[in-house]
Amino acid sequence: MSGEPLVARCPAKINLALRVLRRLDDGYHELDTVFQAIDLHDRLELRPGGDLLLECDAPGVPTDGENLVLRAARLLAEHAGLVDPPGAALRLVKQIPAQGGLGGGSSDAAAALRLFALHWDLRLDEAELHSLARRLGADVPFFLVGGTARGSGRGDRIEALPHFGERSLVLGLPPFGVPTGELFSRLADRLTLPGIGVSLPLFSGLKWPPENDFGFMVNDLEAVVFDDWPELGRFRDALLEAGAAKALLSGSGSTVYGIFDSEDRAREASNRLSPSFASWSVVTANTIEQGAEVLTPDR
Ligand code: C5P
Protein backbone atom coordinates (compact mmCIF):
# COMPACT_ATOMS: atom_id res chain seq x y z
CA MET A 1 0.00 0.00 0.00
CA SER A 2 2.67 2.56 0.91
CA GLY A 3 6.08 2.96 -0.65
CA GLU A 4 8.87 5.52 -0.48
CA PRO A 5 7.58 9.00 -1.34
CA LEU A 6 8.76 10.83 -4.41
CA VAL A 7 9.51 14.43 -3.51
CA ALA A 8 9.48 17.46 -5.79
CA ARG A 9 10.61 21.01 -5.14
CA CYS A 10 8.39 23.67 -6.71
CA PRO A 11 10.08 27.08 -6.91
CA ALA A 12 8.34 30.44 -7.21
CA LYS A 13 9.03 32.85 -10.06
CA ILE A 14 9.18 36.57 -10.50
CA ASN A 15 8.75 38.41 -13.80
CA LEU A 16 11.84 40.47 -14.57
CA ALA A 17 9.82 42.17 -17.30
CA LEU A 18 6.28 41.88 -18.63
CA ARG A 19 4.95 43.61 -21.70
CA VAL A 20 1.32 43.29 -22.81
CA LEU A 21 1.35 43.38 -26.60
CA ARG A 22 -2.33 42.93 -27.48
CA ARG A 23 -5.59 41.32 -26.58
CA LEU A 24 -6.31 38.03 -28.33
CA ASP A 25 -9.74 36.99 -29.62
CA ASP A 26 -10.19 34.46 -26.81
CA GLY A 27 -9.76 37.17 -24.14
CA TYR A 28 -6.18 36.19 -23.27
CA HIS A 29 -3.34 38.64 -23.86
CA GLU A 30 -0.24 38.28 -25.94
CA LEU A 31 2.73 38.81 -23.66
CA ASP A 32 6.44 39.22 -23.91
CA THR A 33 7.88 38.38 -20.53
CA VAL A 34 11.05 37.26 -18.78
CA PHE A 35 10.57 34.76 -15.98
CA GLN A 36 13.09 34.15 -13.24
CA ALA A 37 12.93 31.23 -10.76
CA ILE A 38 13.68 32.04 -7.12
CA ASP A 39 14.47 30.03 -3.99
CA LEU A 40 11.08 30.31 -2.33
CA HIS A 41 9.61 26.81 -2.68
CA ASP A 42 6.53 24.67 -2.24
CA ARG A 43 7.14 20.96 -1.75
CA LEU A 44 5.05 18.19 -3.26
CA GLU A 45 5.31 14.60 -2.03
CA LEU A 46 3.79 11.61 -3.76
CA ARG A 47 3.43 8.35 -1.82
CA PRO A 48 2.37 5.51 -4.15
CA GLY A 49 -0.68 3.43 -3.27
CA GLY A 50 -4.35 3.76 -2.35
CA ASP A 51 -6.75 6.22 -3.91
CA LEU A 52 -5.62 9.49 -5.44
CA LEU A 53 -5.82 11.97 -2.55
CA LEU A 54 -4.33 15.41 -1.89
CA GLU A 55 -3.70 17.08 1.44
CA CYS A 56 -2.28 20.55 1.91
CA ASP A 57 -1.01 22.39 4.99
CA ALA A 58 -2.29 25.80 3.85
CA PRO A 59 -5.87 26.72 4.70
CA GLY A 60 -7.82 28.03 1.73
CA VAL A 61 -6.01 25.93 -0.87
CA PRO A 62 -8.58 23.59 -2.49
CA THR A 63 -7.66 19.90 -2.22
CA ASP A 64 -10.42 18.64 -4.50
CA GLY A 65 -10.33 18.10 -8.27
CA GLU A 66 -10.05 21.85 -8.78
CA ASN A 67 -6.45 21.92 -7.51
CA LEU A 68 -3.98 22.20 -10.39
CA VAL A 69 -1.98 19.28 -8.97
CA LEU A 70 -4.93 16.90 -9.40
CA ARG A 71 -5.86 18.47 -12.73
CA ALA A 72 -2.28 17.81 -13.90
CA ALA A 73 -2.58 14.15 -12.83
CA ARG A 74 -5.91 13.75 -14.64
CA LEU A 75 -4.65 15.39 -17.81
CA LEU A 76 -1.54 13.22 -17.86
CA ALA A 77 -3.56 10.01 -17.31
CA GLU A 78 -5.92 10.98 -20.12
CA HIS A 79 -3.02 11.83 -22.44
CA ALA A 80 -1.35 8.48 -21.73
CA GLY A 81 -4.63 6.55 -22.12
CA LEU A 82 -4.54 5.24 -18.54
CA VAL A 83 -8.08 4.28 -17.52
CA ASP A 84 -7.59 3.31 -13.88
CA PRO A 85 -4.02 4.37 -13.06
CA PRO A 86 -2.33 3.47 -9.75
CA GLY A 87 -3.31 5.97 -7.04
CA ALA A 88 -1.14 7.96 -4.63
CA ALA A 89 -1.32 10.07 -1.50
CA LEU A 90 -0.11 13.59 -2.25
CA ARG A 91 1.06 16.08 0.32
CA LEU A 92 1.55 19.70 -0.66
CA VAL A 93 3.52 21.95 1.69
CA LYS A 94 2.96 25.59 0.72
CA GLN A 95 5.38 28.46 1.15
CA ILE A 96 4.35 30.41 -1.95
CA PRO A 97 1.26 32.54 -1.29
CA ALA A 98 -1.76 32.30 -3.61
CA GLN A 99 -2.54 35.20 -5.96
CA GLY A 100 0.89 36.68 -5.31
CA GLY A 101 2.13 36.75 -8.92
CA LEU A 102 4.74 34.16 -7.95
CA GLY A 103 3.29 31.22 -9.89
CA GLY A 104 2.91 28.87 -6.91
CA GLY A 105 -0.02 26.84 -8.24
CA SER A 106 1.62 26.66 -11.68
CA SER A 107 4.89 25.41 -10.22
CA ASP A 108 3.01 22.76 -8.20
CA ALA A 109 1.28 21.66 -11.43
CA ALA A 110 4.58 21.36 -13.33
CA ALA A 111 6.00 19.32 -10.44
CA ALA A 112 2.89 17.10 -10.49
CA LEU A 113 3.42 16.37 -14.20
CA ARG A 114 7.00 15.27 -13.49
CA LEU A 115 6.05 13.23 -10.40
CA PHE A 116 3.17 11.37 -12.07
CA ALA A 117 5.23 10.71 -15.21
CA LEU A 118 7.67 8.87 -12.90
CA HIS A 119 4.98 7.21 -10.78
CA TRP A 120 3.24 5.81 -13.86
CA ASP A 121 6.50 5.10 -15.65
CA LEU A 122 5.55 7.18 -18.69
CA ARG A 123 8.29 8.03 -21.15
CA LEU A 124 7.19 11.46 -22.32
CA ASP A 125 9.44 13.85 -24.14
CA GLU A 126 9.73 17.47 -23.03
CA ALA A 127 7.61 18.72 -25.96
CA GLU A 128 4.69 16.51 -24.86
CA LEU A 129 5.04 17.72 -21.27
CA HIS A 130 5.08 21.32 -22.48
CA SER A 131 1.89 20.91 -24.44
CA LEU A 132 0.15 19.40 -21.40
CA ALA A 133 1.57 22.15 -19.17
CA ARG A 134 0.21 24.83 -21.49
CA ARG A 135 -3.30 23.38 -21.11
CA LEU A 136 -3.08 23.74 -17.33
CA GLY A 137 -2.19 27.45 -17.32
CA ALA A 138 -0.08 30.04 -19.07
CA ASP A 139 2.68 30.01 -16.41
CA VAL A 140 3.01 26.22 -16.09
CA PRO A 141 5.45 25.57 -19.01
CA PHE A 142 8.02 27.96 -17.53
CA PHE A 143 8.38 25.76 -14.45
CA LEU A 144 9.39 22.77 -16.60
CA VAL A 145 12.43 24.85 -17.60
CA GLY A 146 13.12 27.19 -14.65
CA GLY A 147 16.13 29.47 -14.31
CA THR A 148 15.74 32.49 -16.57
CA ALA A 149 13.46 32.19 -19.60
CA ARG A 150 11.54 34.36 -22.01
CA GLY A 151 7.81 33.70 -22.43
CA SER A 152 5.91 34.73 -25.53
CA GLY A 153 2.38 34.03 -26.82
CA ARG A 154 0.29 33.87 -23.66
CA GLY A 155 3.56 33.65 -21.77
CA ASP A 156 3.46 29.89 -22.38
CA ARG A 157 5.96 29.61 -25.26
CA ILE A 158 9.24 29.29 -23.43
CA GLU A 159 12.76 29.95 -24.59
CA ALA A 160 15.49 29.35 -22.01
CA LEU A 161 17.89 32.28 -21.58
CA PRO A 162 21.39 32.38 -20.13
CA HIS A 163 21.02 32.82 -16.37
CA PHE A 164 20.28 36.37 -15.23
CA GLY A 165 22.93 35.83 -12.54
CA GLU A 166 22.86 35.38 -8.80
CA ARG A 167 20.84 38.26 -7.46
CA SER A 168 19.71 39.18 -3.98
CA LEU A 169 16.07 40.11 -3.69
CA VAL A 170 13.60 41.50 -1.20
CA LEU A 171 10.02 40.34 -1.72
CA GLY A 172 7.06 42.19 -0.29
CA LEU A 173 4.08 39.86 0.06
CA PRO A 174 1.00 41.86 1.08
CA PRO A 175 -1.78 40.26 3.12
CA PHE A 176 -4.03 40.14 0.04
CA GLY A 177 -3.77 38.73 -3.47
CA VAL A 178 -4.55 40.19 -6.88
CA PRO A 179 -6.80 37.95 -9.02
CA THR A 180 -4.99 37.66 -12.36
CA GLY A 181 -8.07 37.12 -14.55
CA GLU A 182 -9.92 40.08 -13.06
CA LEU A 183 -6.86 42.26 -13.40
CA PHE A 184 -6.45 41.45 -17.09
CA SER A 185 -10.11 42.24 -17.68
CA ARG A 186 -9.68 45.62 -15.96
CA LEU A 187 -6.81 46.23 -18.36
CA ALA A 188 -9.22 45.67 -21.24
CA ASP A 189 -11.48 48.42 -19.87
CA ARG A 190 -8.60 50.85 -19.98
CA LEU A 191 -7.30 50.61 -23.47
CA THR A 192 -6.17 54.20 -23.24
CA LEU A 193 -3.53 53.36 -20.66
CA PRO A 194 0.01 53.36 -21.91
CA GLY A 195 1.04 49.77 -22.09
CA ILE A 196 -1.51 47.88 -24.09
CA GLY A 197 -1.11 48.10 -27.83
CA VAL A 198 1.86 50.43 -27.66
CA SER A 199 4.44 48.24 -25.94
CA LEU A 200 7.33 47.04 -27.99
CA PRO A 201 8.64 43.52 -27.63
CA LEU A 202 11.52 43.24 -25.21
CA PHE A 203 15.06 42.60 -26.32
CA SER A 204 15.42 44.76 -29.39
CA GLY A 205 19.14 45.44 -29.18
CA LEU A 206 19.36 44.20 -25.60
CA LYS A 207 22.53 42.39 -24.55
CA TRP A 208 21.77 39.33 -22.40
CA PRO A 209 22.47 38.83 -19.55
CA PRO A 210 22.29 42.57 -19.01
CA GLU A 211 24.75 42.79 -16.09
CA ASN A 212 23.69 45.90 -14.17
CA ASP A 213 21.52 47.56 -16.77
CA PHE A 214 17.98 47.08 -15.50
CA GLY A 215 16.33 49.34 -18.09
CA PHE A 216 14.54 46.37 -19.69
CA MET A 217 12.69 45.71 -16.41
CA VAL A 218 9.21 47.09 -17.00
CA ASN A 219 5.82 45.65 -16.16
CA ASP A 220 2.86 47.02 -18.14
CA LEU A 221 0.44 45.76 -15.48
CA GLU A 222 1.85 48.17 -12.89
CA ALA A 223 -0.23 51.04 -14.29
CA VAL A 224 -3.51 49.28 -13.44
CA VAL A 225 -2.36 47.52 -10.28
CA PHE A 226 -0.73 50.54 -8.62
CA ASP A 227 -3.83 52.58 -9.45
CA ASP A 228 -6.16 50.13 -7.76
CA TRP A 229 -3.84 48.97 -4.95
CA PRO A 230 -1.77 52.11 -4.13
CA GLU A 231 -0.09 50.37 -1.19
CA LEU A 232 1.82 48.24 -3.72
CA GLY A 233 3.20 51.36 -5.41
CA ARG A 234 4.20 52.68 -1.99
CA PHE A 235 6.12 49.48 -1.29
CA ARG A 236 7.90 49.80 -4.66
CA ASP A 237 8.95 53.37 -3.70
CA ALA A 238 10.07 52.21 -0.25
CA LEU A 239 12.27 49.51 -1.83
CA LEU A 240 13.97 52.12 -4.00
CA GLU A 241 14.51 54.38 -1.00
CA ALA A 242 16.02 51.43 0.85
CA GLY A 243 18.63 51.07 -1.88
CA ALA A 244 17.11 48.68 -4.46
CA ALA A 245 18.79 48.98 -7.86
CA LYS A 246 15.36 48.23 -9.34
CA ALA A 247 11.91 47.44 -7.93
CA LEU A 248 9.00 45.95 -9.84
CA LEU A 249 5.61 44.28 -9.55
CA SER A 250 5.83 40.53 -10.23
CA GLY A 251 3.30 39.35 -12.84
CA SER A 252 -0.10 40.79 -11.96
CA GLY A 253 0.96 41.11 -8.30
CA SER A 254 0.40 41.26 -5.49
CA THR A 255 4.14 40.69 -4.83
CA VAL A 256 6.51 43.61 -5.33
CA TYR A 257 10.24 42.84 -5.33
CA GLY A 258 13.52 44.73 -5.37
CA ILE A 259 17.01 43.78 -6.58
CA PHE A 260 19.91 44.54 -4.23
CA ASP A 261 23.70 44.53 -4.63
CA SER A 262 24.31 41.90 -1.95
CA GLU A 263 22.54 39.60 0.48
CA ASP A 264 23.57 41.91 3.35
CA ARG A 265 21.98 44.92 1.67
CA ALA A 266 18.84 42.91 0.96
CA ARG A 267 18.64 41.77 4.59
CA GLU A 268 19.14 45.34 5.86
CA ALA A 269 16.42 46.63 3.55
CA SER A 270 14.00 43.90 4.56
CA ASN A 271 14.61 44.65 8.27
CA ARG A 272 14.12 48.33 7.61
CA LEU A 273 10.86 47.93 5.66
CA SER A 274 9.20 45.26 7.83
CA PRO A 275 7.97 47.59 10.64
CA SER A 276 6.35 50.07 8.20
CA PHE A 277 4.55 47.25 6.38
CA ALA A 278 3.61 45.31 9.48
CA SER A 279 0.79 43.26 7.94
CA TRP A 280 3.04 42.24 5.02
CA SER A 281 5.57 39.48 4.87
CA VAL A 282 8.86 41.08 3.82
CA VAL A 283 11.45 38.39 3.03
CA THR A 284 14.77 38.00 1.25
CA ALA A 285 15.25 35.56 -1.63
CA ASN A 286 17.73 34.66 -4.35
CA THR A 287 17.50 33.84 -8.02
CA ILE A 288 18.07 30.16 -8.91
CA GLU A 289 18.77 28.16 -12.08
CA GLN A 290 16.33 25.28 -11.47
CA GLY A 291 12.66 24.73 -12.23
CA ALA A 292 10.15 22.31 -10.69
CA GLU A 293 12.15 19.13 -10.14
CA VAL A 294 11.88 15.71 -8.59
CA LEU A 295 14.49 15.30 -5.83
CA THR A 296 14.35 11.54 -5.37
CA PRO A 297 14.05 9.95 -8.81
CA ASP A 298 15.57 6.59 -7.85
CA ARG A 299 14.30 4.93 -10.97
O1 C5P B 1 -3.50 30.77 -17.64
P1 C5P B 1 -3.96 31.18 -16.28
O2 C5P B 1 -5.12 30.35 -15.78
O3 C5P B 1 -2.88 31.25 -15.26
O4 C5P B 1 -4.50 32.68 -16.43
C1 C5P B 1 -5.36 33.28 -15.51
C2 C5P B 1 -6.13 34.39 -16.19
O5 C5P B 1 -5.27 35.48 -16.53
C3 C5P B 1 -6.78 33.99 -17.51
O6 C5P B 1 -8.06 33.46 -17.29
C4 C5P B 1 -6.83 35.30 -18.27
O7 C5P B 1 -7.97 36.04 -17.88
C5 C5P B 1 -5.62 36.06 -17.79
N1 C5P B 1 -4.47 35.96 -18.72
C6 C5P B 1 -4.48 36.73 -19.88
N2 C5P B 1 -3.42 36.62 -20.76
C7 C5P B 1 -2.37 35.81 -20.48
C8 C5P B 1 -2.33 35.04 -19.29
C9 C5P B 1 -3.41 35.15 -18.43
O8 C5P B 1 -5.42 37.47 -20.16
N3 C5P B 1 -1.36 35.74 -21.34
Side-chain angles (χ1 to χ4, degrees):
M1 153 91 194
S2 68
E4 278 303 297
L6 293 168
V7 178
R9 195 161 52 193
C10 326
K13 60 84 179 163
I14 53 174
N15 296 79
L16 297 176
L18 194 163
R19 306 240 70 168
V20 183
L21 301 183
R22 65 189 175 107
R23 198 146 93 93
L24 302 168
D25 290 341
D26 60 5
Y28 268 79
H29 292 78
E30 185 181 345
L31 307 180
D32 190 7
T33 187
V34 181
F35 294 105
Q36 174 62 56
I38 62 171
D39 63 355
L40 174 71
H41 297 109
D42 290 345
R43 176 186 166 93
L44 181 61
E45 295 173 8
L46 181 158
R47 194 173 286 276
D51 292 333
L52 185 54
L53 281 176
L54 171 66
E55 62 168 54
C56 178
D57 67 332
V61 172
T63 51
D64 60 8
E66 218 189 290
N67 191 296
L68 272 179
V69 163
L70 293 179
R71 283 173 50 199
R74 254 193 343 258
L75 185 66
L76 188 62
E78 223 172 79
H79 173 80
L82 303 175
V83 178
D84 189 16
L90 296 164
R91 184 164 161 259
L92 179 59
V93 182
K94 292 292 294 179
Q95 294 274 328
I96 310 171
Q99 295 194 332
L102 297 172
S106 301
S107 186
D108 302 343
L113 287 176
R114 293 220 181 274
L115 282 172
F116 278 97
L118 268 178
H119 177 43
W120 292 331
D121 209 11
L122 304 173
R123 310 285 147 107
L124 301 181
D125 60 33
E126 288 297 302
E128 270 176 292
L129 278 178
H130 272 256
S131 77
L132 295 176
R134 193 172 288 139
R135 288 168 60 188
L136 292 166
D139 285 350
V140 182
F142 164 69
F143 290 102
L144 293 173
V145 174
T148 313
R150 186 177 184 184
S152 55
R154 297 169 173 186
D156 58 352
R157 303 211 168 265
I158 300 299
E159 175 201 341
L161 291 173
H163 188 43
F164 181 52
E166 271 185 39
R167 307 281 179 178
S168 302
L169 309 169
V170 172
L171 308 181
L173 315 167
F176 56 85
V178 170
T180 307
E182 200 185 309
L183 193 270
F184 269 105
S185 64
R186 289 193 207 184
L187 188 71
D189 295 339
R190 303 192 204 183
L191 288 170
T192 51
L193 275 177
I196 193 152
V198 298
S199 285
L200 295 172
L202 296 162
F203 284 60
S204 37
L206 178 72
K207 174 173 155 289
W208 193 270
E211 298 187 4
N212 288 324
D213 177 5
F214 300 128
F216 77 101
M217 294 181 64
V218 285
N219 183 340
D220 286 337
L221 298 177
E222 281 189 340
V224 181
V225 175
F226 289 173
D227 230 16
D228 290 355
W229 288 273
E231 212 180 336
L232 303 188
R234 280 198 290 278
F235 189 80
R236 187 264 320 266
D237 296 342
L239 280 169
L240 293 172
E241 272 163 36
K246 180 76 194 176
L248 205 74
L249 182 77
S250 180
S252 59
S254 54
T255 301
V256 178
Y257 70 90
I259 296 188
F260 287 81
D261 290 346
S262 68
E263 274 191 43
D264 284 348
R265 293 251 171 116
R267 211 170 305 112
E268 271 167 38
S270 116
N271 290 338
R272 187 166 136 195
L273 294 184
S274 287
S276 327
F277 291 85
S279 61
W280 290 46
S281 169
V282 182
V283 297
T284 56
N286 289 292
T287 53
I288 58 167
E289 296 195 54
Q290 294 79 20
E293 57 182 9
V294 179
L295 300 178
T296 49
D298 280 345
R299 55 198 160 109

